[in-house]
Amino acid sequence: MKKRASAYGKSRPLRVFVLDCEALSLAVRGDREMIAWLDLAARGEAEVVTSPMTLVEAYDGRTTEQRWDWVLSRLQVAGIGKDEARQARRLLADTKLHGHKYAIDAVLAVVARQQKGQVTVFTSDVDDLEKLVPDTIVVKKV
């Protein structure tokens, strides 16, 4: 598990923020709360992660490339391949969810489950994500 030294020399688990489409869109639009979370990452106090599918889903043609580039410079995009797709499919089967409405949420849940440390998922779909992640992952409404 990645750890960061605190002011007292003790290490603590790294905070990881996982962004869904709405959270990412808020960040790109300059929402103060989301920018504050990104600033923690810029200071090395947290990591911010999302899925490649979320980047596509959050695209808004009214936002400048410069704004997108600024936000993307502060987060990591998780690699998604065949294994992650299988895991997402299994999550959907286990929770009896299906269809395109839940596909990106399932992939994001897989990304969240892969993170080490104190993981928080920022989402507009709290009910769906809470079904897809274990209780050890915090799901926060945006």
Side-chain angles (χ1 to χ4, degrees):
M1 179 183 310
K2 292 184 180 178
K3 296 188 178 214
R4 180 162 180 82
S6 71
Y8 301 105
K10 296 179 182 176
S11 61
R12 60 184 165 91
L14 179 67
R15 296 171 71 185
V16 181
F17 306 131
V18 180
L19 307 185
D20 86 338
C21 174
E22 184 61 25
L24 181 58
S25 295
L26 286 169
V28 171
R29 291 191 312 259
D31 176 81
R32 288 178 182 250
E33 184 177 356
M34 290 311 304
I35 297 303
W37 295 117
L38 291 177
D39 285 345
L40 286 176
R43 292 193 311 261
E45 297 176 31
E47 290 181 359
V48 181
V49 183
T50 196
S51 79
M53 295 167 63
T54 303
L55 293 179
V56 175
E57 184 183 22
Y59 172 74
D60 179 346
R62 297 171 294 181
T63 306
T64 67
E65 280 296 315
Q66 291 170 327
R67 187 69 192 170
W68 271 101
D69 290 345
W70 183 85
V71 170
L72 292 177
S73 72
R74 281 153 175 76
L75 59 85
Q76 298 172 25
V77 179
I80 303 297
K82 195 184 307 184
D83 290 338
E84 291 79 14
R86 275 194 193 107
Q87 292 170 37
R89 188 188 72 228
R90 286 185 195 119
L91 280 176
L92 290 177
D94 291 347
T95 56
K96 299 187 181 5
L97 299 173
H98 60 85
H100 71 276
K101 177 181 179 200
Y102 303 104
I104 294 175
D105 286 344
V107 170
L108 196 67
V110 169
V111 169
R113 288 165 168 260
Q114 291 174 337
Q115 305 308 307
K116 304 292 185 226
Q118 299 170 349
V119 180
T120 302
V121 177
F122 290 90
T123 181
S124 59
D125 298 324
V126 171
D127 293 336
D128 296 341
L129 263 298
E130 284 181 338
K131 293 174 187 172
L132 296 166
V133 298
D135 292 340
T136 56
I137 295 176
V138 175
V139 179
K140 182 174 172 37
K141 177 110 175 116
V142 293

